[in-house]
Amino acid sequence: MTADSPRPRPVMLGQNQYGKAENRVVRITRDGDTHHIKDLNVSVSLSGDMDDVHYSGSNAHVLPTDTTKNTVYAFAKEHGIESAEQFGIHLARHFVSSQEPIRTARIRIEEYAWERIATADAPARFPGADESKHSFVRKGQETRTTQITFDGETWQIVSGLKDLVVMNSTDSEFWGYANDRYTTLQEAYDRILATEVSAKWRYNWTGDEARMPNWEKSYELTRGHLLQAFADTYSLSLQQTLYQMGLRVIENRDDIDEIRFSLPNKHHFLVDLEPFGLTNDNEVYFAADRPYGLIEATVLRDGSEQQIPADMTNL
Amino acid sequence: MTADSPRPRPVMLGQNQYGKAENRVVRITRDGDTHHIKDLNVSVSLSGDMDDVHYSGSNAHVLPTDTTKNTVYAFAKEHGIESAEQFGIHLARHFVSSQEPIRTARIRIEEYAWERIATADAPARFPGADESKHSFVRKGQETRTTQITFDGETWQIVSGLKDLVVMNSTDSEFWGYANDRYTTLQEAYDRILATEVSAKWRYNWTGDEARMPNWEKSYELTRGHLLQAFADTYSLSLQQTLYQMGLRVIENRDDIDEIRFSLPNKHHFLVDLEPFGLTNDNEVYFAADRPYGLIEATVLRDGSEQQIPADMTNL
Amino acid sequence: MTADSPRPRPVMLGQNQYGKAENRVVRITRDGDTHHIKDLNVSVSLSGDMDDVHYSGSNAHVLPTDTTKNTVYAFAKEHGIESAEQFGIHLARHFVSSQEPIRTARIRIEEYAWERIATADAPARFPGADESKHSFVRKGQETRTTQITFDGETWQIVSGLKDLVVMNSTDSEFWGYANDRYTTLQEAYDRILATEVSAKWRYNWTGDEARMPNWEKSYELTRGHLLQAFADTYSLSLQQTLYQMGLRVIENRDDIDEIRFSLPNKHHFLVDLEPFGLTNDNEVYFAADRPYGLIEATVLRDGSEQQIPADMTNL
Amino acid sequence: MTADSPRPRPVMLGQNQYGKAENRVVRITRDGDTHHIKDLNVSVSLSGDMDDVHYSGSNAHVLPTDTTKNTVYAFAKEHGIESAEQFGIHLARHFVSSQEPIRTARIRIEEYAWERIATADAPARFPGADESKHSFVRKGQETRTTQITFDGETWQIVSGLKDLVVMNSTDSEFWGYANDRYTTLQEAYDRILATEVSAKWRYNWTGDEARMPNWEKSYELTRGHLLQAFADTYSLSLQQTLYQMGLRVIENRDDIDEIRFSLPNKHHFLVDLEPFGLTNDNEVYFAADRPYGLIEATVLRDGSEQQIPADMTNL
């Protein structure tokens, strides 16, 4: 819409955002012979005064997505990558503070973990002595995530993980449920409970003045609480396990006010071996792909506001 | 939380939902020798009075996800599958009206299109005469989607498509953009514009009394508008093309009030052939994977409320 | 192995090959306003006198994979892309004839098809008149493939397709099979037969003197024979359908001597609706993911040598 | 071909095989409270006297793929799963020895590793004391593979791994290579070397009389040799690293005669930060997706026959 056409539009532009997605950056830091890796996938999303580019194609307010990509790589040099969260904070502050039309920046980051390759000859009893200095193997377990949002005043940091597959081979039951004419499920008093954990937790840090969490340490401890709560819970339903996982995090992490889970119930069906004259005493399971139960919920500190959006999957 | 423990919890349950995801159902309808296929992936998500199962593991309010799966298959027989939208409406109404604790049902469906295999000997001039009666090949282009949400009173139907890859090999420019110290991009006056369209549109039908859209026809026509607007727009920026696609839909489809797009800018970089003594006159391109621009926006009828959530990707 | 160490090695180098894989090249050809697209994924694999680089790290015989990538892009300009097969022939001949240590080149290409976006206002009765000149939508059905191998004297061209999903909703039975103590399957007299066709066919053209096939036309006709044979065969087993598909190709295509198929039996299980008081008269199916039957076989012209390797999947 | 049609066929059946692919079996073994997991993906492929089913659709010689699936699950109970190799040996022997028309069985298995979830309160100094008894997290690193082939007389066991991503952040060079008019690559004297290891190794055990390898221990040690050789090799080219990895295995594992690798060169390009006034001292890299170098070779004990097929990828 050009300045000289003030008549109302019958078709309006609503929420909009743009940026460069999935910038793969690997940062090596040298400490003598010993190297350290940060391996990130960074997605930038900017919004603000962007009506013109949609209505008329004028790019005057548009910092190219190519520039946002360049900024990711330049900042990896200028600021280093202390943590995914800290790196995202640098980026978000930069875009909002340096370009007037940009009002909000949201940085999403996936982080892939690496561990050092064990060397053959170092004595195992000196921790660290048996590790390569610059040779690594990708850990390959969960993907760490974070999302940094900044509107020029307030910060929202939502970190998390995905792809973390866990299983309890016992201590899980499912019975006493509602039923209707379409219910055929048999009650289970000892079943496998397996899921692939996706979790996002919101830190209560919102501004520059307050002391920032130690992002690296907080991640490791939160991940540990999730795993231990999963392992420790005698489960009557995946919803109960989910709540216990959230509860453990909120109770133990003062820096986190809210956590949301998306937990697929990865069904392991006991195979019927009767036709072959065999008894299946909770020994042989078929691991099914689809369909799967999908249990999603938010757990939050009393008095906190629910901010993490409901849908963490595209299904 | 049991009835006799009314003390406040320091850690609360927030929004929660559950159900069986990705039920793959194929429905064959016979019209004499001629068969028709509907091929769906149906995900059920239910919410309501579900505190107990999270706090204590009591499943008394929980209709098993296995039952929701059974219902999908039973309804495919009882109601048939006239359209993905109509099928989802049957399912959502059933869950909300038949189980007291369930207050809201959300049904998400992906639909895969099939076309008939052409027969060898039929004369091509009689439309349909040259098609198999019960042999099909999967169309393999876009995936059609819909999401039906029902809270017992009001319906929200958000349909769409994804995976639709389009390209204009000319009629696209990009210049006149903002720049800063990290900007190195050269202006482009004739470039390839390619994207993979993800779109979700909200129908303004919200209740049983109003006349329902013709879901099948509306989908076909909306898809056509999207493609033609993409083809017809001389583009100064992908944002402009996005708006024109939305505009075309809102102007032409009275039944749709809002549409949201997620458009990756699938970069096709002109390869530098100078080192080989060759001139690349917009002939040879490298199709890049990552990173990619990501342009997302809502376009809506003036006066309409924005209801489709902002994030259509997990990045 | 350096020249001065002629003693036998206890650990030998065997077959080896190297090159740049998955070069994504898009070639636009202009015919006035009308543009044409070729969209390929090209993988180069070279072998020859490469002992040194493995034994000692000397790269003197190694044309860098980066150079093979450059050659793909340069050749797209210099020779154009008439067909995937012809393009691969140009590349293979170049590598073998220009670098003495390279004895054999193998070029593998995937091709993605595009179709023109239909325009709104052109009269439908003039074929082609209703199509955009430079706006395209990716067809999204099968992926076309080819593999060109050249050892300096003889050519082997193995073309094919993959990802082509087909279904017969009737005219398929399965009974009369062998059984043992682990057999529980019920005989089927009317079932869905669905598969995702992977096929590779070998042309009998082996040298420059003989007249080359018309690669584009031969592909289209072969694809048609596959689909029609699938549709026309009343199937007692997927193996029988496979043979009929191969038979149809060999009988109709003089330029093809051998064809190999990998056909997953994509099971569609009839859902048991009896518990719900419903009869499933071949109407409602569950489309399963895993496990699946996997049927693989070669069909060849009598007297021809079997050259296509057995394993077309990695499982 | 039916008995009464002895005339020669102009179109012949060549190599063929069939079976059930991707049977997902999870086997739990209980040692008191302590549980052990084996998590496999088993694909069965059978061949033999199968002409009739292809030519006429007669299934008299065909043991249904459904039966091969049942056998996988029944054998998980009857024999347990000591190792993927041993389990495949049980299956292959059964199919060949129990069904006269079946001459050869090939069993392919993928294995997913799990580790115990660490418990919070156990003292870390007692190894194993700090581990859950029946709670697991999927390790998520490499996928272990094996292929067992049995023709009634001789066994071939080819085990391996895939998806193992490794990186050396220094100690890699690439220079002194051949060049032609399409060469633009700059020589590198300190680069990142990263790859995703796919390896298959053939054991020299071929029959029941000889002592079988300890499959579990041999796998762990071979994996260790691969990682250490990758870490220890100062690399002048990925081919040299590949050979050193193979050499290390053949020299250290008497039970292995041949190993083949498929090593994508996962390029990490140094980002040019000069335009921003910054120097990139091997600190900031762009991790590229496609194209990638692809280096493949076999390393074998002198005097051994090369048996592992050349192509480990579908590209």
Side-chain angles (χ1 to χ4, degrees), chain A residues 10-12 14-15 17 19-22 70 78 106 182 243 260 267 290 292 294 298 300 302 311 315, chain B residues 10-12 14-15 19-22 70 78 106 182 243 260 267 290 292 294 296 298 300 302 311 315:
Chain A
V11 179
M12 307 299 296
Q15 197 279 349
Q17 58 197 33
K20 194 72 99 191
E22 302 209 41
N70 288 346
E78 291 186 274
R106 191 196 67 200
Y182 300 111
Y243 178 74
R260 185 166 178 88
H267 303 306
R290 295 192 296 182
Y292 48 89
L294 185 54
T298 294
L300 69 170
D302 188 29
D311 289 309
L315 273 178
Chain B
V11 179
M12 306 299 296
Q15 197 280 347
K20 192 72 99 192
E22 301 210 41
N70 288 346
E78 291 185 275
R106 191 197 68 199
Y182 300 111
Y243 178 73
R260 186 167 178 86
H267 302 306
R290 295 190 296 182
Y292 47 90
L294 185 54
E296 300 174 284
T298 295
L300 70 169
D302 188 29
D311 288 311
L315 271 178

Side-chain angles (χ1 to χ4, degrees), chain D residues 211-279:
Chain D
R211 186 178 172 178
M212 269 191 200
N214 179 331
W215 306 113
E216 300 293 82
K217 188 174 169 189
S218 186
Y219 176 80
E220 282 309 321
L221 292 172
T222 303
R223 178 185 182 279
H225 290 305
L226 293 177
L227 285 175
Q228 287 167 27
F230 177 81
D232 290 351
T233 304
Y234 189 101
S235 177
L236 300 174
S237 122
L238 184 48
Q239 281 92 331
Q240 186 195 21
T241 297
L242 180 156
Y243 177 74
Q244 289 298 319
M245 293 169 75
L247 177 65
R248 182 87 61 116
V249 169
I250 301 295
E251 285 184 342
N252 285 281
R253 300 297 316 161
D254 287 345
D255 47 2
I256 297 173
D257 273 4
E258 179 187 7
I259 182 166
R260 186 165 178 87
F261 297 92
S262 179
L263 300 185
N265 195 339
K266 294 173 74 76
H267 303 306
H268 286 70
F269 295 114
L270 210 54
V271 179
D272 178 11
L273 302 176
E274 296 269 338
F276 322 125
L278 302 169
T279 303

Side-chain angles (χ1 to χ4, degrees), chain C residues 11 15 73 119 135 160 167 171 178 213 218 243 252 257 261-262 292:
Chain C
V11 180
Q15 197 278 349
Y73 289 105
T119 56
S135 294
M167 178 194 293
D171 290 357
S218 185
Y243 177 73
N252 284 280
D257 273 4
F261 297 92
S262 178
Y292 48 90

Side-chain angles (χ1 to χ4, degrees), chain A residues 272-280, chain C residues 181-182, chain D residues 73-75 77-78:
Chain A
D272 179 12
L273 301 177
E274 295 270 338
F276 322 125
L278 302 169
T279 303
N280 190 351
Chain C
R181 64 173 286 226
Y182 299 110
Chain D
Y73 289 105
F75 272 39
K77 166 70 184 185
E78 291 186 274

Side-chain angles (χ1 to χ4, degrees), chain A residues 18-71:
Chain A
Y18 84 101
K20 194 72 99 191
E22 302 209 41
N23 299 282
R24 293 281 291 107
V25 58
V26 173
R27 178 66 157 89
I28 305 291
T29 309
R30 288 168 171 72
D31 179 9
D33 273 2
T34 301
H35 292 192
H36 304 272
I37 298 182
K38 280 286 182 180
D39 184 359
L40 307 184
N41 189 24
V42 181
S43 295
V44 174
S45 189
L46 309 174
S47 51
D49 181 6
M50 296 291 159
D51 282 14
D52 278 358
V53 64
H54 291 86
Y55 290 141
S56 72
S58 161
N59 292 301
H61 287 186
V62 178
L63 190 72
T65 65
D66 186 78
T67 301
T68 68
K69 177 196 70 178
N70 288 346
T71 309

Side-chain angles (χ1 to χ4, degrees), chain A residues 9-24 41 43 53-57 59-67 69-71 74-75 78 94 99 106 108 110 174-185 236-237 239-240 242-243 247 250-251 260 267 290-302 306 310-315, chain B residues 9-24 41 43 53-57 59-67 69-71 74-75 78 94 99 106 108 110 174-185 236-237 239-240 242-243 247 250-251 260 267 290-302 306 310-315:
Chain A
R9 286 178 183 279
V11 179
M12 307 299 296
L13 179 68
Q15 197 279 349
N16 60 87
Q17 58 197 33
Y18 84 101
K20 194 72 99 191
E22 302 209 41
N23 299 282
R24 293 281 291 107
N41 189 24
S43 295
V53 64
H54 291 86
Y55 290 141
S56 72
N59 292 301
H61 287 186
V62 178
L63 190 72
T65 65
D66 186 78
T67 301
K69 177 196 70 178
N70 288 346
T71 309
F75 272 39
E78 291 186 274
H94 166 78
Q99 290 287 320
R106 191 196 67 200
R108 286 183 175 172
E110 294 184 340
F174 188 59
W175 49 267
Y177 38 78
N179 60 74
D180 65 12
R181 63 174 286 227
Y182 300 111
T183 301
T184 56
L185 187 72
L236 300 174
S237 121
Q239 281 92 330
Q240 185 194 21
L242 181 155
Y243 178 74
L247 177 65
I250 300 295
E251 285 184 342
R260 185 166 178 88
H267 303 306
R290 295 192 296 182
Y292 48 89
L294 185 54
I295 312 299
E296 299 174 285
T298 294
V299 177
L300 69 170
R301 195 178 300 283
D302 188 29
Q306 195 165 307
D311 289 309
M312 292 170 55
T313 71
N314 286 325
L315 273 178
Chain B
R9 285 177 184 280
V11 179
M12 306 299 296
L13 178 69
Q15 197 280 347
N16 59 88
Q17 57 197 34
Y18 84 102
K20 192 72 99 192
E22 301 210 41
N23 299 282
R24 292 281 291 107
N41 190 23
S43 295
V53 64
H54 292 86
Y55 289 140
S56 71
N59 291 301
H61 287 188
V62 178
L63 190 71
T65 65
D66 186 78
T67 300
K69 177 197 70 178
N70 288 346
T71 309
F75 272 39
E78 291 185 275
H94 166 78
Q99 289 286 321
R106 191 197 68 199
R108 286 183 174 172
E110 294 184 342
F174 188 59
W175 49 267
Y177 37 76
N179 60 74
D180 65 11
R181 64 174 286 226
Y182 300 111
T183 302
T184 57
L185 186 72
L236 300 174
S237 124
Q239 282 92 331
Q240 185 194 21
L242 181 155
Y243 178 73
L247 177 65
I250 301 295
E251 284 184 342
R260 186 167 178 86
H267 302 306
R290 295 190 296 182
Y292 47 90
L294 185 54
I295 312 299
E296 300 174 284
T298 295
V299 177
L300 70 169
R301 195 177 299 283
D302 188 29
Q306 196 166 306
D311 288 311
M312 291 170 55
T313 71
N314 285 326
L315 271 178

